[in-house]
Amino acid sequence: MGRVQRAAIVSFLLLGAMFITVPVFAQMDFSGEWNPIFYEDQPERVAGPEIGDYTGIPITDAARVRADSWKASVQTLPEWQCRPHSADYIWRGPSQLRVTKEVDPVTRKVSAWHAEWLRSVDNVIYMDGRPHPPDYAEHTWGGFATGEMVGQTMTVTVTHLKEGYLRRNGLPRSDTAKIVEHWIRHGDYLTVAVIMYDPVYLAEPFVRTTDYRLNPGGLVAPYPCEVVEEITRPKGSVPSWLPGKNPDLTEYAEKYGLPQEATRGGPQTMYPEYRSKLK
């Protein structure tokens, strides 16, 4: 064996050893078409919750006043008809989910994820370590989201959201809120835990989990929304109730035989000890 052949073999072995000893970079793959599991919190997914149902939600007095004055017909206004669900609420929307990824061609790492529903904007999650912009930067329906992998769980932080809603019965979410999401995949199932911090409308953090199932043949259809005049009303009129004038706030408690106090929400209604207080 000549010197050149020996040198080639040694170089090949060293190169192989280098690839063996370099740590392998692995990330959970969340990409695909996902179907929502509709029997989970079904009223949230389709028809929407009942008027006056704030049970178990740690709302502030300010949130309660806003919700009490809400009328569902506000959604017939032109500026509401094609309004997308914001990034924090869309997890509970009645739509399939598409997740795609951007991969850096050099490092082969995921640099960004894209999440898209039927009635949403393209929600981008940056994985390249960039900082969040200052508070005065533009707020959008998708907000500004960054993510990091913690083991096989992806933790996402969302800021810079336009004002939205916590539930589709008038409970608001302010534009100062911060959202933390934890994406967890178990085979064909995706669980997302959403933790909301809102200094205006929440007295304590609010946690919800939502589940999806992988559907390789799924499709997120286009949403060609067109604004029309649904109801003729005076110019500048905005449907709402004046404080203390909403006649529907007691209907939920009466329908299910619940104490009216419990349905009004607040941090105390989240905990099991609250039942003994009612007794």
Side-chain angles (χ1 to χ4, degrees), residues 22-27 107-110 149:
V22 169
V24 176
F25 182 84
Q27 286 185 345
T107 66
R108 309 285 174 89
K109 295 182 180 181
V110 176
M149 296 300 299

Side-chain angles (χ1 to χ4, degrees), residues 233-262:
R233 53 170 59 94
K235 184 178 180 180
S237 175
V238 178
S240 62
W241 292 105
L242 291 174
K245 299 298 184 180
N246 190 340
D248 304 320
L249 295 177
T250 61
E251 182 178 307
Y252 171 72
E254 294 168 355
K255 179 179 179 179
Y256 294 100
L258 299 173
Q260 178 69 19
E261 174 191 347

Side-chain angles (χ1 to χ4, degrees), residues 49-158:
E50 299 191 51
I51 300 297
D53 178 13
Y54 317 146
T55 315
I57 303 179
I59 58 174
T60 62
D61 291 340
R64 189 177 296 106
V65 170
R66 283 284 302 271
D68 287 352
S69 65
W70 183 81
K71 275 188 178 181
S73 56
V74 73
Q75 297 178 339
T76 65
L77 293 175
E79 57 266 37
W80 272 86
Q81 292 177 25
C82 294
R83 173 177 170 169
H85 292 307
S86 55
D88 54 320
Y89 182 84
I90 189 61
W91 289 106
R92 291 300 178 96
S95 165
Q96 294 82 5
L97 162 66
R98 172 182 294 146
V99 180
T100 56
K101 60 185 177 182
E102 293 184 30
V103 179
D104 188 292
V106 177
T107 66
R108 309 285 174 89
K109 295 182 180 181
V110 176
S111 57
W113 295 94
H114 294 258
E116 187 176 7
W117 292 261
L118 173 66
R119 190 173 173 175
S120 77
V121 295
D122 177 26
N123 295 284
V124 185
I125 302 168
Y126 298 105
M127 303 292 290
D128 55 7
R130 68 182 67 187
H132 283 244
D135 294 341
Y136 57 78
E138 181 183 18
H139 286 53
T140 64
W141 300 119
F144 188 92
T146 58
E148 62 174 342
M149 296 300 299
V150 182
Q152 295 301 306
T153 298
M154 181 167 69
T155 296
V156 180
T157 302
V158 187

Side-chain angles (χ1 to χ4, degrees), residues 177-207:
K178 182 178 78 170
I179 313 299
V180 177
E181 303 171 352
H182 299 287
W183 295 31
I184 308 162
R185 180 172 179 175
H186 297 281
D188 289 345
Y189 289 89
L190 174 65
T191 298
V192 177
V194 178
I195 308 172
M196 183 180 298
Y197 303 87
D198 187 344
V200 179
Y201 293 130
L202 289 177
E204 294 184 16
F206 182 50
V207 183

Side-chain angles (χ1 to χ4, degrees), residues 209-221:
T209 60
T210 306
D211 294 287
Y212 286 75
R213 185 172 184 177
L214 187 66
N215 180 12
L219 173 67
V220 177

